[in-house]
Amino acid sequence: GAVVSQHPSRVICKSGTSVKIECRSLDFQATTMFWYRQFPKQSLMLMATSNEGSKATYEQGVEKDKFLINHASLTLSTLTVTSAHPEDSSFYICSARDRLRARVNSPLHFGNGTRLTVT
Amino acid sequence: DQQVKQNSPSLSVQEGRISILNCDYTNSMFDYFLWYKKYPAEGPTFLISISSIKDKNEDGRFTVFLNKSAKHLSLHIVPSQPGDSAVYFCAGLPSGGSNYKLTFGKGTLLTVNP
């Protein structure tokens, strides 16, 4: 089945530093990738939609200058949390949609997530 | 405003019995509903979906029922197995969803006891 690889799975960083999270589709091409954030006991909240070769679309309330998204190829999207603060500590998860199977109800493929802890 | 609600944070059932996971929604624009299963430290995996024009979809041990008038859907797992123990997320997809903006509920932790 389709695999989405997300790296790193866990990262601890100091306040004020930046962290980059990678999301790769391993056996399919994804023109669109999605970045979610999940706080404990909360639902997965969509942060932004990443489109290959164009600017990401951010959800309301998500700071685009803080959460930089780059989707440079059909298999890679990155999320950079800039100047991280403790309140950014969360579980970040990416998902991708197979370009060749992009029916409206085709399921997303998720990465395993990144647990970010900012100290 | 929570558009997808899973009001039971947890559910415990005995192996072999039926598990019923419930989900309510408020957004009338949802066209498809999907269920995802998530194990700890892993990403969600797709389980089953249903179109809003249907009221039932079945796939092996998993059946999803949709009551559009009540804005309610449920996932039935029968018979339940210990390996089904996971967090189950319900998600809605609005019509015109070419950008695939899923809205998730908070999830229900299912524990199937041997």
Side-chain angles (χ1 to χ4, degrees):
Chain A
V3 176
V4 174
S5 173
Q6 188 171 340
H7 178 80
S9 58
R10 189 179 294 267
V11 59
I12 300 172
C13 70
K14 291 188 176 180
S15 188
T17 60
S18 295
V19 173
K20 181 186 280 189
I21 303 169
E22 291 188 350
C23 180
R24 293 180 185 272
S25 56
L26 296 185
D27 55 358
F28 65 96
Q29 292 182 331
T31 49
T32 305
M33 290 186 175
F34 304 88
W35 288 95
Y36 291 83
R37 179 168 56 184
Q38 185 185 23
F39 292 108
K41 298 185 180 179
Q42 298 297 313
S43 57
L44 292 159
M45 299 297 297
L46 180 65
M47 298 174 65
T49 303
S50 167
N51 296 298
E52 187 265 338
S54 65
K55 290 183 179 180
T57 304
Y58 290 82
E59 294 302 299
Q60 193 173 11
V62 178
E63 300 174 57
K64 59 181 179 182
D65 294 330
K66 181 168 188 60
F67 299 99
L68 299 178
I69 291 173
N70 184 281
H71 193 157
S73 76
L74 286 171
T75 59
L76 173 65
S77 175
T78 60
L79 168 67
T80 302
V81 183
T82 62
S83 187
H85 289 101
E87 56 264 31
D88 298 324
S89 298
S90 187
F91 186 67
Y92 293 86
I93 190 163
C94 71
S95 65
R97 197 170 173 209
D98 190 335
R99 181 174 71 98
L100 296 180
R101 297 177 183 173
R103 290 178 295 115
V104 65
N105 61 333
S106 59
L108 289 177
H109 305 288
F110 284 84
N112 282 340
T114 298
R115 173 70 60 192
L116 171 64
T117 304
V118 184
T119 60
Chain B
D1 174 34
Q2 214 178 327
Q3 297 183 35
V4 178
K5 300 178 184 178
Q6 292 178 259
N7 292 319
S8 298
S10 63
L11 174 69
S12 184
V13 301
Q14 209 63 31
E15 181 179 6
R17 307 294 288 268
I18 185 171
S19 295
I20 300 176
L21 298 135
N22 293 304
C23 178
D24 297 291
Y25 63 96
T26 59
N27 190 342
S28 300
M29 298 301 292
F30 286 145
D31 229 12
Y32 281 96
F33 300 90
L34 302 92
W35 284 92
Y36 283 82
K37 179 167 76 171
K38 184 182 182 300
Y39 293 116
E42 294 185 12
T45 55
F46 171 73
L47 199 56
I48 192 169
S49 66
I50 188 167
S51 163
S52 62
I53 62 173
K54 294 187 176 182
D55 55 18
K56 178 183 175 181
N57 188 26
E58 191 172 351
D59 184 3
R61 297 185 297 114
F62 303 92
T63 303
V64 56
F65 295 92
L66 174 63
N67 183 333
K68 207 172 172 183
S69 61
K71 291 192 172 68
H72 176 84
L73 60 155
S74 61
L75 174 67
H76 293 214
I77 306 172
V78 56
S80 301
Q81 299 173 354
D84 296 329
S85 298
V87 177
Y88 288 79
F89 290 96
C90 169
L93 178 68
S95 54
S98 59
N99 58 0
Y100 219 85
K101 283 191 178 182
L102 285 173
T103 300
F104 285 89
K106 290 185 179 181
T108 297
L109 173 62
L110 172 66
T111 302
V112 180
N113 302 302

